[in-house]
Amino acid sequence: MRMSDQPAYEVLALRYATTDLHRPRRENFFPGMDLHDGEMPLDYYVWAVRGEGRCLLVDTGFGEEAAQTRNRILLHHPADLLRQAGIDPETITDVILTHLHYDHAGNLDRFPKARFHLQESEMRFATGRHMCHSCLRAPFECRDVTEAVKIVFDGRMVFHDGDAEIFPGIEVFRMGGHSDGLQVVRVATARGKVLLASDAFHFNENRTRRAPFPIVYHVGEMLEGFIRCEELVGGDADLLIPGHDPDVRLRWPILSADLPDVVRLDLHPLKRTLKK
Ligand SMILES: [Zn+2]
Ligand SMILES: [Zn+2]
């Protein structure tokens, strides 16, 4: 039972894309931190938060063009998948961008009326001197960053500098690490406060083994971020939602039988997390 004055949102993870099933495990860990052979495919999600009279989106995914150039498998356009889940993209008032990488911040023009929430340090990172280096700019698309700048000039960007409460029960926390301004999102639900970790850790295994994903701006901040994410959920690993782990889709209940790519994170997982 929840106190009636506590907000409780429905939280959906929507898997819109995936990689080749044969992606090698070593591509998901810092060099030298995984010596096993084997395959470890990666899924791409956006997240929706609804309830308390509002509907928010966390990240906007990529579209057909990025899927082709980066050789990813687009299962659904994120906007179409939202519609299938009963959410009209036009009705989304607020979009939280966890960071500006291509798989999180494409399709921005599909939300022409929404306000966007971004860490100030992420915009500085994505438009500053570090983008002179190809290895740091590789996960960004100039097109997406340019769209984000247009949103600033359109008066629809809300910058956060560190931690902030966006609405009652919806908070952001700057983690950095993976990208300079990476933020995670904590949402109050009937089962507790769920943490959408985005790329603070791609897979649970990155966090549990303290073995960072190899796309990283500041390794120390990423490692500290694992600990901070755990603290933000009081150590309950079932409240931690990794950004790209196929396990998310398999562990949480589906929204409806005809939509197996959309799961309810505000409900308890179907089995307990084994590794804390
Ligand atoms: Zn990323
Ligand atoms: Zn990502």
Side-chain angles (χ1 to χ4, degrees), residues 16 42-45 47 59 98-99 101-104 139 178 182 198-199 202 213 215 243-244:
Y16 69 91
L42 184 149
D43 280 342
Y44 296 87
Y45 301 91
W47 301 270
D59 291 342
T98 62
H99 60 308
H101 284 171
Y102 83 97
D103 51 325
H104 297 260
H178 169 73
L182 176 83
S198 183
D199 293 359
H202 285 56
F213 192 81
I215 296 175
H244 290 274

Side-chain angles (χ1 to χ4, degrees), residues 9-241:
Y9 296 91
E10 180 186 32
V11 185
L12 305 178
L14 301 99
R15 181 180 79 138
Y16 69 91
T18 190
T19 56
D20 187 322
L21 277 176
H22 304 300
R23 178 187 174 92
R25 272 180 63 85
R26 65 177 175 277
E27 288 189 13
N28 297 328
F29 299 98
F30 205 68
M33 293 216 66
D34 195 83
L35 303 174
H36 298 89
D37 287 332
E39 293 160 350
M40 194 171 181
L42 184 149
D43 280 342
Y44 296 87
Y45 301 91
V46 296
W47 301 270
V49 177
R50 58 183 171 183
E52 310 293 332
R54 46 184 76 100
C55 186
L56 288 83
L57 186 62
V58 177
D59 291 342
T60 50
F62 57 74
E64 295 85 358
E65 196 178 332
Q68 283 210 350
T69 54
R70 292 176 185 260
N71 196 24
R72 303 291 186 252
I73 301 163
L74 189 69
L75 302 166
H76 319 265
H77 191 287
D80 295 338
L81 191 55
L82 283 166
R83 266 188 220 98
Q84 288 179 57
I87 297 170
D88 178 353
E90 301 265 316
T91 64
I92 291 168
T93 56
D94 290 81
V95 177
I96 301 172
L97 293 175
T98 62
H99 60 308
L100 290 175
H101 284 171
Y102 83 97
D103 51 325
H104 297 260
N107 307 313
L108 296 184
D109 57 351
R110 297 285 188 115
F111 306 92
K113 294 182 192 132
R115 281 195 313 171
F116 286 76
H117 299 264
L118 184 70
Q119 287 287 319
E120 198 173 343
S121 51
E122 183 67 1
M123 183 61 95
R124 204 160 42 232
F125 184 57
T127 54
R129 64 185 304 140
H130 289 308
M131 294 303 107
C132 299
H133 304 292
S134 62
C135 99
L136 287 175
R137 71 173 175 258
F140 294 91
E141 287 285 343
C142 180
R143 177 182 63 234
D144 302 335
V145 176
T146 307
E147 284 297 327
V149 172
K150 282 186 196 164
I151 289 168
V152 177
F153 277 75
D154 201 21
R156 291 185 293 123
M157 187 68 85
V158 182
F159 283 112
H160 300 283
D161 183 14
D163 307 340
E165 185 178 58
I166 289 179
F167 290 112
I170 303 177
E171 305 155 284
V172 295
F173 303 88
R174 182 193 166 272
M175 291 290 149
H178 169 73
S179 189
D180 194 21
L182 176 83
Q183 59 185 352
V184 303
V185 186
R186 191 169 67 171
V187 184
T189 74
R191 72 176 180 100
K193 291 182 179 177
V194 168
L195 192 83
L196 303 174
S198 183
D199 293 359
F201 46 95
H202 285 56
F203 296 89
N204 260 325
E205 194 179 335
N206 294 117
R207 177 183 61 78
T208 57
R209 287 207 299 118
R210 302 296 194 245
F213 192 81
I215 296 175
V216 52
Y217 170 60
H218 191 308
V219 182
E221 272 192 355
M222 183 178 259
L223 289 162
E224 294 295 319
F226 296 155
I227 297 167
R228 184 144 193 244
C229 286
E230 291 164 357
E231 288 173 354
L232 285 169
V233 297
D236 183 347
D238 283 347
L239 294 171
L240 289 173
I241 311 299

